Amino acid sequence: LNKIDDVTKAVYQLRKVGLGWFIPFIRTPMNVAKQWIEYSPMGIATLPGSANKKEQLAKFLVGSLVTGVGAEMAMNNRTTWAAPTDPKAKELFYASGKKPYSVKIGDKWVPMQTFGTFAWALGLPAAVKFYQEDSRTALTDSQIEKTTKSLMALGGFWSQQTFVSGLGSFVKIAEGDTDYSVAKNAAFTLSSLKPWNGLM
């Protein structure tokens, strides 16, 4: 958690080179990331440095229970991860009614972000399932590569949330998503200079 605070301080330095437009506020998203870790199986790692160990242990146990529920949903194909980057596959993905980073409750796809502090705990099994079975390279990747991608993808999941959507669009460019480009991102960012742009 202290390392996340260090990253927060480093990101604030990016404002000095003009990236403040893309990351207008960062402390809240970073605090959300810390909560996501605390309320997940990863929360056990925060126990040694915690001042209130009972509270921290409770967060870990509740988060682990949510991860268990997420695992059951993933095994029953009731979770989605990132939308495909290929245009045709993406079209089929959305045409089927699916949403990225979501769980199926009844006949509706509900974004994991809806579950607040438990979003990451719920998303862990979805990421693992995606990279074990559903990704384009699932058959050729080694187990170490799959595990690494699953853990790294959780950062991608965080970057796609509404509170860091400006940053998320640059992640999409890096992933090769054809719906995102540097020109589109720059145009969207410049449009925020227009007064009352959101209202219009």
Side-chain angles (χ1 to χ4, degrees), residues 90-172:
K90 180 183 279 191
E91 185 181 334
L92 292 171
F93 178 86
Y94 284 110
S96 69
K98 292 181 178 178
K99 296 178 182 177
Y101 307 111
S102 298
V103 293
K104 192 172 189 180
I105 298 176
D107 61 347
K108 303 282 186 199
W109 287 99
V110 180
M112 293 175 195
Q113 183 182 355
T114 307
F115 297 91
T117 55
F118 299 109
W120 207 57
L122 201 58
L124 276 167
V128 171
K129 181 187 182 296
F130 178 80
Y131 287 103
Q132 290 288 336
E133 301 175 9
D134 303 331
S135 78
R136 289 179 298 148
T137 57
L139 296 175
T140 56
D141 285 346
S142 69
Q143 198 57 47
I144 292 173
E145 288 173 321
K146 289 176 183 178
T147 303
T148 302
K149 286 180 178 180
S150 297
L151 293 173
M152 296 300 289
L154 291 165
F157 170 42
W158 174 81
S159 74
Q160 299 308 311
Q161 306 312 304
T162 53
F163 44 72
V164 280
S165 56
L167 181 62
S169 57
F170 283 96
V171 172
K172 288 289 189 183

Side-chain angles (χ1 to χ4, degrees), residues 37-44 46-47 53-69 118 121:
I37 290 170
E38 289 180 297
Y39 286 90
S40 77
M42 294 290 291
I44 195 72
T46 66
L47 200 57
K53 297 194 186 312
K54 287 183 181 178
E55 181 182 344
Q56 205 64 32
L57 183 61
K59 290 177 182 179
F60 155 72
L61 291 173
V62 174
S64 297
L65 180 64
V66 172
T67 298
V69 171
F118 299 109

Side-chain angles (χ1 to χ4, degrees), residues 4-86:
I4 291 177
D5 288 334
D6 292 343
V7 171
T8 305
K9 291 172 188 171
V11 170
Y12 270 114
Q13 297 304 310
L14 293 176
R15 291 181 172 186
K16 294 179 179 176
V17 294
L19 291 181
W21 285 99
F22 303 104
I23 315 167
F25 62 96
I26 198 67
R27 191 172 305 281
T28 299
M30 289 305 210
N31 285 338
V32 168
K34 286 162 61 173
Q35 284 185 326
W36 281 6
I37 290 170
E38 289 180 297
Y39 286 90
S40 77
M42 294 290 291
I44 195 72
T46 66
L47 200 57
S50 174
N52 190 340
K53 297 194 186 312
K54 287 183 181 178
E55 181 182 344
Q56 205 64 32
L57 183 61
K59 290 177 182 179
F60 155 72
L61 291 173
V62 174
S64 297
L65 180 64
V66 172
T67 298
V69 171
E72 190 273 333
M73 296 179 91
M75 286 189 287
N76 289 306
N77 295 314
R78 291 169 49 210
T79 60
T80 62
W81 200 238
T85 55
D86 176 72

